[in-house]
Amino acid sequence: MGTTGGDREKLYKTVEEADMYALIAPNMCKQIVALQATLKTMSESYPGAFGNYSLEITESHQSGKADTSGTAKALLESFNIMKGGTPLNVEEITKLREREEQIAFGVPEDSLKGHAWHTYTLKSADGSVMFQFKHNVNGRRTYAEGVVDAVNFLATKITQASDKKIFDMIDVLKSGKMRD
């Protein structure tokens, strides 16, 4: 189940009570999940490494997406730990949903109906140093590829009668058994 919406606790509880196997993940793109995991580890290992840096997050998705990106929210937590000080709030994430602003951000016109472009910018207090992290997805192919790997992974776990029954995309990545 790939979703950022809904009641996550209720979802887990429902799956556990049904004694089913499931893979639950807010993002099915393996590379973005790997980036999230890496930045989480970095924030745990080096809290405050970007002390006194400002943080700006801009994300662009198709016009029909009403909420703030779950990926942007997840990475916000890691960046806030690394920068310390006053945290950036979810409400301060810049969401681009209008055609003109998306094109100005660099989104190709043929991807306006399905894209996920994110830029995370950390700037030193005096402006002399800037770090940017970006991930730009056009279309939905990378998510579909992640779903295929997730289904194959889960099928293997079911066949093996794994004691663990609820998995996520980190489990898929750690298995190392993904399609090329």
Side-chain angles (χ1 to χ4, degrees):
M1 294 173 249
T3 181
T4 57
D7 182 338
R8 187 137 325 257
E9 282 183 32
K10 183 178 178 183
L11 178 59
Y12 275 90
K13 185 178 178 193
T14 301
V15 171
E16 285 172 357
E17 288 174 355
D19 196 32
M20 316 171 35
Y21 286 93
L23 192 141
I24 302 170
N27 194 316
M28 302 304 279
C29 175
K30 299 171 290 192
Q31 296 79 14
I32 292 173
V33 172
L35 175 66
Q36 287 175 309
T38 300
L39 289 173
K40 183 174 189 245
T41 298
M42 185 176 169
S43 72
E44 292 165 352
S45 298
Y46 309 110
F50 288 91
N52 294 318
Y53 275 60
S54 64
L55 173 63
E56 295 175 13
I57 300 175
T58 302
E59 57 98 342
S60 177
H61 286 263
Q62 53 280 356
S63 62
K65 182 171 179 60
D67 61 332
T68 302
S69 162
T71 301
K73 287 190 253 185
L75 290 180
L76 170 66
E77 291 179 35
S78 295
F79 283 120
N80 274 336
I81 292 168
M82 285 189 283
K83 77 176 202 65
T86 305
L88 185 75
N89 296 311
V90 171
E91 299 77 28
E92 297 175 278
I93 295 172
T94 302
K95 296 187 305 186
L96 306 179
R97 299 294 184 268
E98 299 297 322
R99 181 182 194 284
E100 294 77 22
E101 58 191 8
Q102 292 171 336
I103 290 171
F105 194 51
V107 178
E109 284 193 56
D110 63 354
S111 295
L112 292 175
K113 291 186 179 181
H115 70 279
W117 280 41
H118 295 221
T119 300
Y120 309 86
T121 304
L122 292 153
K123 289 183 190 172
S124 63
D126 67 0
S128 65
V129 181
M130 178 176 72
F131 289 84
Q132 279 194 327
F133 298 80
K134 292 183 177 191
H135 54 91
N136 299 338
V137 176
N138 296 320
R140 294 183 172 91
R141 180 185 181 106
T142 191
Y143 304 105
E145 291 170 348
V147 169
V148 170
D149 285 332
V151 168
N152 290 336
F153 171 86
L154 195 57
T156 299
K157 293 301 179 182
I158 292 168
T159 301
Q160 295 171 343
S162 170
D163 290 334
K164 180 178 177 180
K165 292 193 172 186
I166 300 177
F167 302 92
D168 60 25
M169 287 302 289
I170 298 294
D171 295 312
V172 175
L173 291 173
K174 285 182 177 178
S175 78
K177 295 184 174 137
M178 295 162 284
R179 298 173 337 102
D180 290 336

